[in-house]
PDB file of all heavy atoms in Angstrom:
ATOM      1  N   VAL A1486     -12.143  -8.094   6.628  1.00 98.00           N
ATOM      2  CA  VAL A1486     -11.708  -7.608   5.240  1.00 98.00           C
ATOM      3  C   VAL A1486     -11.762  -6.045   5.262  1.00 98.00           C
ATOM      4  O   VAL A1486     -12.784  -5.379   5.512  1.00 98.00           O
ATOM      5  CB  VAL A1486     -12.910  -8.000   4.190  1.00 98.00           C
ATOM      6  CG1 VAL A1486     -12.380  -7.528   2.858  1.00 98.00           C
ATOM      7  CG2 VAL A1486     -12.996  -9.513   4.219  1.00 98.00           C
ATOM      8  N   ALA A1487     -10.626  -5.492   4.917  1.00 98.00           N
ATOM      9  CA  ALA A1487     -10.486  -3.954   4.904  1.00 98.00           C
ATOM     10  C   ALA A1487     -10.746  -3.615   3.393  1.00 98.00           C
ATOM     11  O   ALA A1487     -10.098  -3.978   2.501  1.00 98.00           O
ATOM     12  CB  ALA A1487      -9.193  -3.539   5.272  1.00 98.00           C
ATOM     13  N   LEU A1488     -11.838  -2.876   3.258  1.00 98.00           N
ATOM     14  CA  LEU A1488     -12.278  -2.319   1.920  1.00 98.00           C
ATOM     15  C   LEU A1488     -11.840  -0.843   1.748  1.00 98.00           C
ATOM     16  O   LEU A1488     -12.070  -0.109   2.686  1.00 98.00           O
ATOM     17  CB  LEU A1488     -13.807  -2.477   1.708  1.00 98.00           C
ATOM     18  CG  LEU A1488     -14.434  -3.935   1.635  1.00 98.00           C
ATOM     19  CD1 LEU A1488     -15.913  -3.763   1.457  1.00 98.00           C
ATOM     20  CD2 LEU A1488     -13.779  -4.638   0.501  1.00 98.00           C
ATOM     21  N   PRO A1489     -11.378  -0.510   0.549  1.00 97.00           N
ATOM     22  CA  PRO A1489     -11.118   0.991   0.394  1.00 97.00           C
ATOM     23  C   PRO A1489     -12.343   1.789   0.260  1.00 97.00           C
ATOM     24  O   PRO A1489     -13.163   1.534  -0.703  1.00 97.00           O
ATOM     25  CB  PRO A1489     -10.281   0.970  -0.889  1.00 97.00           C
ATOM     26  CG  PRO A1489     -10.673  -0.238  -1.677  1.00 97.00           C
ATOM     27  CD  PRO A1489     -11.095  -1.296  -0.554  1.00 97.00           C
ATOM     28  N   LYS A1490     -12.636   2.723   1.118  1.00 95.00           N
ATOM     29  CA  LYS A1490     -13.792   3.521   1.193  1.00 95.00           C
ATOM     30  C   LYS A1490     -13.863   4.340  -0.200  1.00 95.00           C
ATOM     31  O   LYS A1490     -12.826   4.834  -0.525  1.00 95.00           O
ATOM     32  CB  LYS A1490     -13.768   4.435   2.298  1.00 95.00           C
ATOM     33  CG  LYS A1490     -14.966   5.040   2.786  1.00 95.00           C
ATOM     34  CD  LYS A1490     -14.646   5.816   4.011  1.00 95.00           C
ATOM     35  CE  LYS A1490     -15.882   6.531   4.501  1.00 95.00           C
ATOM     36  NZ  LYS A1490     -15.821   7.163   5.805  1.00 95.00           N
ATOM     37  N   GLY A1491     -15.028   4.508  -0.791  1.00 92.00           N
ATOM     38  CA  GLY A1491     -15.150   5.234  -1.977  1.00 92.00           C
ATOM     39  C   GLY A1491     -15.607   4.415  -3.185  1.00 92.00           C
ATOM     40  O   GLY A1491     -16.114   3.249  -3.079  1.00 92.00           O
ATOM     41  N   ARG A1492     -15.390   5.054  -4.424  1.00 90.00           N
ATOM     42  CA  ARG A1492     -15.911   4.432  -5.600  1.00 90.00           C
ATOM     43  C   ARG A1492     -15.328   3.011  -5.822  1.00 90.00           C
ATOM     44  O   ARG A1492     -16.012   2.035  -6.094  1.00 90.00           O
ATOM     45  CB  ARG A1492     -15.611   5.284  -6.771  1.00 90.00           C
ATOM     46  CG  ARG A1492     -16.710   5.274  -7.856  1.00 90.00           C
ATOM     47  CD  ARG A1492     -16.562   6.598  -8.690  1.00 90.00           C
ATOM     48  NE  ARG A1492     -15.259   7.021  -8.820  1.00 90.00           N
ATOM     49  CZ  ARG A1492     -14.389   6.774  -9.952  1.00 90.00           C
ATOM     50  NH1 ARG A1492     -14.821   5.989 -10.838  1.00 90.00           N
ATOM     51  NH2 ARG A1492     -13.167   7.246  -9.983  1.00 90.00           N
ATOM     52  N   LEU A1493     -13.998   2.873  -5.661  1.00 95.00           N
ATOM     53  CA  LEU A1493     -13.334   1.648  -5.850  1.00 95.00           C
ATOM     54  C   LEU A1493     -13.859   0.626  -4.878  1.00 95.00           C
ATOM     55  O   LEU A1493     -14.169  -0.524  -5.232  1.00 95.00           O
ATOM     56  CB  LEU A1493     -11.794   1.795  -5.639  1.00 95.00           C
ATOM     57  CG  LEU A1493     -11.074   0.442  -5.663  1.00 95.00           C
ATOM     58  CD1 LEU A1493     -11.169  -0.217  -7.075  1.00 95.00           C
ATOM     59  CD2 LEU A1493      -9.562   0.677  -5.333  1.00 95.00           C
ATOM     60  N   GLY A1494     -14.099   1.011  -3.583  1.00 95.00           N
ATOM     61  CA  GLY A1494     -14.607   0.079  -2.614  1.00 95.00           C
ATOM     62  C   GLY A1494     -15.944  -0.461  -2.966  1.00 95.00           C
ATOM     63  O   GLY A1494     -16.279  -1.633  -2.699  1.00 95.00           O
TER      64      GLY A1494
END
Side-chain angles (χ1 to χ4, degrees):
V1486 184
L1488 292 178
K1490 202 173 174 176
R1492 213 156 37 92
L1493 173 64

